[in-house]
Amino acid sequence: MHLKKIVTCLLLLAITGNIYGQTAKPIEPNRKMEWFGDAKLGIFIHWGVYAVNGISESWSFFNNYTNHEAYMKQLEGFNASKYDPANWVQLIKESGAKYAVITTKHHDGVSLWNTKAIDATTTLKNSAAKKDLITPFVAALKQSGLKTGLYFSLPDWSYENYDVFTRDRKRYDFKADPKRWNSFLTYYQSQLNELSAQFKPDLLWFDGNWEHSATEWQTDKVRKLLSSYNPNIIINSRLDEHGDYETPEQGVPVVKPNAPYWELCYTMNDSWGFQPYDQKYKSSNMIIRTLVDCISMGGNLLLDIGPKADGTIATEQVSILKDLGRWTKKNAEAIYGTQSGLEPGHFNGKTALSKDKKTLFLYLDYQDKAGITLLGLATKIKSVSVIGYEGKINFKAADNQNYIIEVPENAYDKDVTVVAVKFDEAIKTVNPVGATLNLATLLNAQTKSSTVSKLKKLSTDLNKGTNIFNNTNLSADGLSFTSDVKPLDTEAKEWIVKNAEVLYKTTAGIPAGHYDGNTTLSADKQTLYLFVEGKPTGPIAIKGLKNQISRIRIVGEGTMLPHEVYNKLYWSKIPGIIYIPVPQDKLDKNLTVIAVLLDGPIDLYREKVGAIESNL
């Protein structure tokens, strides 16, 4: 045998060994989840025949947007002619993801691997591709060192022995025809046997459990089946509403979920599979900030891509993955292996902690020349640095265990800057305290604090419901406001007059989690005021707002601002994220305020993702 052939055989054996390796020994549940908890970023891949016509995956025929025959005719155009699994994996790895989850079979029943299950529809036998598409991808994934996740739909709306066909039609009553139902159970469980034996996945991502009960799906049997192949298999909570981790969909949690492990599955535009006319892509800046949101609450982001029918990936999606990779590569130490950060009130923004809690990471999606304020630290700071910046970062202790950190202008990242605050011991915090800012201090030009620092403190007090202007002569337009304080801080007075409506009879702001910063509300609770510190790197965002927005403007300027809502799903009660671009030429040099007029008194969504349990 020639040397070249010998080397080729050895490489194939190495790859095959990774896929068909020996069964691992079981480890403790918490240790089993360690890699998942450390990963923080995964890539979801929705690929199937629905990419041919750019229609909703499976749901389009289920909801009668097209009939089943027309839907399945897409098999003729699903050619995967430019499919390059190694390139996919390289792109996924470049993004900074530590695992990938690919659709092996969606609700339409089209299997992307060479399943031997009787009467199965496969891309090898029935599509123009004439290929097993999962095997080469999993081989490339395992060779790269990334973890393997397989998506599997429990229902199969195309399979003749599955009871549900479309929203309006059922094939049979499964309770009246248990023989037929058992035939389906054998079918789908045999496919899980194949996936487990052939690919040895690290994770199984189930979907579609709502159509039957856990008993009807025989989930206990399925769990035993899966664990017989891999006792350390990780299963999401969509098999039977129990599982190793929770999977909120599209809606970024407002408050930290109860589950010890969770993962937000999230699209780049509004679609899972490829749809050529869905151009509502979020910017890379938005995606990076969403990843930070998940990291700060101890969760993962599972970001979706939808390849085209020929196997290529849309340029918009490639660009986002590469931009994400730039940021994750630079800030790796503040991403992987971190845990959720500080409770609200210590910092206006997102935070995370190292495992030993000796490093606090501050994520800044804005630039602020006036300094970053960190409140309520009971542990003395050892050092401060900006990740990716070699220069010195100055910081100083203020009163009441508070600190101010000065970040040089050239140290800021264009998307999210990460400040690493190090301690000699695990961080301890106390409730941020401090005297309420009084009017004399605010308006006195000789106080040691700068105007912007005083106004930030004022916004913090307003957020808590303390309004020092309630018993003054301040009017809604500010024109009647006078002060006897001398020497007068004219900048502070001018800001008060300009932003008088924010100070006139306003009340406490909204709870933490909805907006990264301080807020206050008008007396009728119908106008939400957002305090914008420094210069944002992208649009400011509001989460969990149920209301419709009537208009948005810059306070004191009257300039009207647009807004866009992303990830509001028609079937979900969870509100989308509202993004508001703030023009840089309209930013106040001290503190900008945005007024959001609502269609009624403010109504917020604050439900937590439910707790889960692991049955393995």
Side-chain angles (χ1 to χ4, degrees):
M1 185 180 288
H2 294 297
L3 180 61
K4 186 176 180 180
K5 289 185 177 180
I6 293 173
V7 171
T8 302
C9 289
L10 288 172
L11 285 172
L12 287 172
L13 283 170
I15 295 171
T16 307
N18 279 333
I19 302 177
Y20 306 101
Q22 295 296 314
T23 302
K25 293 180 180 179
I27 56 178
E28 296 174 5
N30 287 342
R31 287 194 57 208
K32 179 186 82 170
M33 295 300 296
E34 189 171 358
W35 76 259
F36 181 84
D38 288 347
K40 302 307 176 191
L41 177 62
I43 299 300
F44 214 174
I45 303 167
H46 274 71
W47 196 30
V49 299
Y50 37 85
V52 174
N53 291 338
I55 60 179
S56 296
E57 55 287 334
S58 307
W59 293 98
S60 47
F61 77 78
F62 181 85
N63 289 322
N64 299 307
Y65 299 158
T66 184
N67 63 45
H68 184 258
E69 183 179 340
Y71 181 94
M72 297 304 282
K73 192 172 178 62
Q74 291 179 108
L75 284 161
E76 298 173 8
F78 190 67
N79 56 45
S81 59
K82 298 179 181 178
Y83 176 41
D84 185 348
N87 180 258
W88 282 18
V89 170
Q90 181 181 353
L91 187 60
I92 291 168
K93 194 161 188 175
E94 185 180 346
S95 76
K98 298 300 182 184
Y99 62 108
V101 179
I102 188 169
T103 48
T104 62
K105 184 183 76 169
H106 207 271
H107 312 324
D108 59 16
V110 179
S111 300
L112 272 66
W113 81 102
N114 185 26
T115 177
K116 301 301 191 297
I118 297 173
D119 294 330
T121 301
T122 73
T123 52
L124 180 68
K125 293 186 301 181
N126 304 101
S127 79
K130 300 299 179 188
K131 295 175 184 175
D132 171 349
L133 302 172
I134 299 299
T135 297
F137 177 75
V138 171
L141 203 61
K142 288 183 178 292
Q143 192 175 31
S144 74
L146 299 179
K147 296 289 187 178
T148 301
L150 301 180
Y151 170 107
F152 184 84
S153 168
L154 290 166
D156 188 328
W157 293 331
S158 295
Y159 190 65
E160 282 300 316
N161 283 326
Y162 186 63
D163 60 330
V164 178
F165 182 39
T166 69
R167 181 178 295 278
D168 301 316
R169 295 173 60 188
K170 277 195 171 185
R171 294 185 177 90
Y172 65 96
D173 181 349
F174 78 97
K175 291 182 179 177
D177 194 346
K179 183 177 179 181
R180 197 169 176 185
W181 176 248
N182 286 330
S183 176
F184 168 73
L185 292 177
T186 300
Y187 169 80
Y188 104 78
Q189 290 168 18
S190 72
Q191 288 198 315
L192 288 175
N193 271 313
E194 288 180 352
L195 292 173
S196 299
Q198 186 171 348
F199 302 121
K200 289 290 189 297
D202 302 291
L203 181 154
L204 263 164
W205 213 102
F206 284 101
D207 200 10
N209 62 311
W210 60 84
E211 289 194 334
H212 288 281
S213 70
T215 301
E216 290 158 5
W217 288 123
Q218 296 183 344
T219 58
D220 287 345
K221 179 181 178 181
V222 169
R223 286 178 178 279
K224 290 177 182 176
L225 178 155
L226 297 174
S227 60
S228 70
Y229 289 99
N230 178 5
N232 301 314
I233 189 73
I234 292 175
I235 299 175
N236 71 346
S237 58
R238 298 192 184 193
L239 177 62
D240 53 7
E241 297 182 359
H242 303 300
D244 296 303
Y245 68 98
E246 187 60 80
T247 56
E249 183 170 334
Q250 298 285 45
V252 183
V254 173
V255 292
K256 186 178 183 295
N258 291 323
Y261 300 98
W262 63 274
E263 166 197 78
L264 170 67
C265 51
Y266 202 64
T267 54
M268 292 182 175
N269 51 8
D270 285 340
S271 308
W272 294 106
F274 175 71
Q275 293 189 20
Y277 305 113
D278 180 1
Q279 292 300 310
K280 196 174 182 181
Y281 282 98
K282 304 169 191 71
S283 67
S284 299
N285 176 277
M286 294 176 187
I287 297 291
I288 290 168
R289 286 160 58 196
T290 297
L291 172 60
V292 167
D293 223 346
C294 295
I295 292 169
S296 71
M297 292 185 280
N300 293 6
L301 173 63
L302 184 64
L303 183 65
D304 182 69
I305 59 174
K308 299 178 184 180
D310 65 1
T312 59
I313 299 172
T315 55
E316 297 91 342
Q317 298 181 22
V318 171
S319 179
I320 288 172
L321 291 178
K322 287 182 176 291
D323 289 345
L324 193 55
R326 177 203 69 83
W327 189 83
T328 55
K329 182 178 180 181
K330 175 182 178 180
N331 297 287
E333 67 179 277
I335 302 170
Y336 313 110
T338 58
Q339 57 184 296
S340 56
L342 303 180
E343 291 295 318
H346 296 281
F347 172 68
N348 276 347
K350 307 300 181 186
T351 66
L353 289 165
S354 59
K355 282 188 176 180
D356 62 7
K357 296 188 177 182
K358 291 183 179 181
T359 303
L360 169 67
F361 299 106
L362 311 176
Y363 304 93
L364 310 178
D365 56 8
Y366 59 91
Q367 300 179 12
D368 197 339
K369 296 178 182 178
I372 309 303
T373 305
L374 191 54
L375 306 174
L377 295 189
T379 310
K380 186 178 179 181
I381 292 177
K382 176 184 177 182
S383 65
V384 178
S385 63
V386 171
I387 297 178
Y389 175 72
E390 298 298 327
K392 182 181 179 183
I393 302 299
N394 295 319
F395 65 95
K396 58 184 178 182
D399 55 351
N400 298 310
Q401 298 170 302
N402 302 331
Y403 287 86
I404 296 175
I405 300 169
E406 298 173 358
V407 180
E409 189 171 359
N410 61 343
Y412 281 104
D413 186 88
K414 69 185 183 73
D415 293 307
V416 177
T417 305
V418 185
V419 178
V421 183
K422 295 188 180 295
F423 308 89
D424 282 326
E425 58 182 321
I427 186 174
K428 296 183 180 66
T429 59
V430 295
N431 288 331
V433 295
T436 300
L437 182 71
N438 59 54
L439 203 57
T441 301
L442 174 60
L443 289 169
N444 194 312
Q446 292 184 339
T447 54
K448 62 181 181 179
S449 298
S450 64
T451 301
V452 65
S453 295
K454 290 186 291 184
L455 291 174
K456 285 181 181 179
K457 180 65 174 74
L458 174 65
S459 72
T460 300
D461 291 344
L462 289 166
N463 188 79
K464 295 176 180 177
T466 302
N467 191 335
I468 59 175
F469 291 91
N470 283 343
N471 298 313
T472 68
N473 65 348
L474 181 72
S475 58
D477 63 10
L479 295 178
S480 62
F481 181 69
T482 58
S483 173
D484 296 327
V485 176
K486 295 179 181 179
L488 182 66
D489 184 339
T490 55
E491 277 194 19
K493 184 176 184 293
E494 288 171 1
W495 188 93
I496 291 168
V497 173
K498 174 185 176 183
N499 295 278
E501 68 167 290
V502 181
L503 312 172
Y504 181 72
K505 297 182 180 180
T506 51
T507 62
I510 57 178
H514 295 280
Y515 172 72
D516 284 346
N518 290 314
T519 63
T520 190
L521 285 164
S522 59
D524 63 2
K525 303 291 190 290
Q526 196 165 336
T527 300
L528 171 65
Y529 296 103
L530 310 172
F531 293 95
V532 182
E533 297 183 9
K535 182 173 70 175
T537 61
I540 59 175
I542 308 172
K543 291 191 298 182
L545 181 65
K546 294 182 182 179
N547 302 78
Q548 296 296 311
I549 292 176
S550 300
R551 63 177 59 180
I552 303 174
R553 58 188 167 77
I554 298 177
V555 174
E557 300 275 353
T559 307
M560 304 298 292
L561 297 179
H563 72 280
E564 286 193 273
V565 180
Y566 286 84
N567 292 91
K568 177 63 187 92
L569 306 177
Y570 74 91
W571 50 264
S572 174
K573 62 183 178 180
I574 302 174
I577 300 180
I578 297 161
Y579 287 101
I580 307 167
V582 183
Q584 290 191 15
D585 64 334
K586 293 297 181 179
L587 292 172
D588 187 277
K589 64 180 179 179
N590 288 305
L591 186 62
T592 308
V593 189
I594 306 297
V596 182
L597 178 63
L598 308 173
D599 61 350
I602 193 163
D603 188 12
L604 299 172
Y605 180 91
R606 285 185 67 79
E607 293 182 28
K608 287 190 174 185
V609 176
I612 60 168
E613 57 185 273
S614 176
N615 290 357
L616 286 182

